[in-house]
Amino acid sequence: MPVCGLSRLISQTIVCVRVTGVDLILVWSEGRAVACERMCPHEQADLSLGHLSGGRLFCPRHAASFDLRNGRISYGWPSRPLRLYPVRIRDDQVWIDADAIRSPAN
Ligand code: FES
């Protein structure tokens, strides 16, 4: 399903979306779109208030960071990886596979 215009994502870099009742964020990082869960897997901080640097998303609460290629949390944090979801760009829109959100792989 289409969830956001590509130009809006590029200009805002982090956009909140809701897909099949699940809160996600879209991130524009290093020239590509990434979709991930909105709440930090450590203590549920809102990652839409975080910041991006070097291909990583930094949590606003404790400053752990997540690799946006694979979701891995920075060294030393006892949390699972950030859930990432497949996205596609088509017709200047960012699309998310709703089935992947209903049954996440990680
Ligand atoms: S809540 Fe995100 S690092 Fe702790």
Side-chain angles (χ1 to χ4, degrees):
M1 63 176 12
V3 290
C4 179
L6 180 59
S7 55
R8 178 181 167 211
L9 177 59
I10 291 171
S11 67
Q12 294 185 7
T13 65
I14 298 178
V15 173
C16 298
V17 297
R18 192 169 175 85
V19 179
T20 65
V22 178
D23 288 316
L24 308 176
I25 56 174
L26 292 175
V27 174
W28 184 253
S29 172
E30 302 193 318
R32 67 189 187 98
V34 178
C36 65
E37 59 188 321
R38 181 169 172 178
M39 296 306 171
C40 179
H42 179 231
E43 288 185 1
Q44 306 298 300
D46 185 351
L47 291 172
S48 73
L49 303 175
H51 72 275
L52 297 161
S53 180
R56 304 187 71 87
L57 174 60
F58 286 76
C59 178
R61 186 172 300 164
H62 302 119
S65 66
F66 300 91
D67 187 327
L68 290 170
R69 292 167 304 174
N70 52 30
R72 276 197 202 119
I73 194 166
S74 44
Y75 180 76
W77 291 87
S79 294
R80 65 168 172 77
L82 186 68
R83 287 194 180 101
L84 305 178
Y85 301 98
V87 299
R88 223 181 325 163
I89 309 292
R90 199 174 76 203
D91 300 330
D92 287 327
Q93 290 283 316
V94 182
W95 294 65
I96 293 183
D97 181 350
D99 288 339
I101 295 178
R102 286 188 204 102
S103 47
N106 60 359

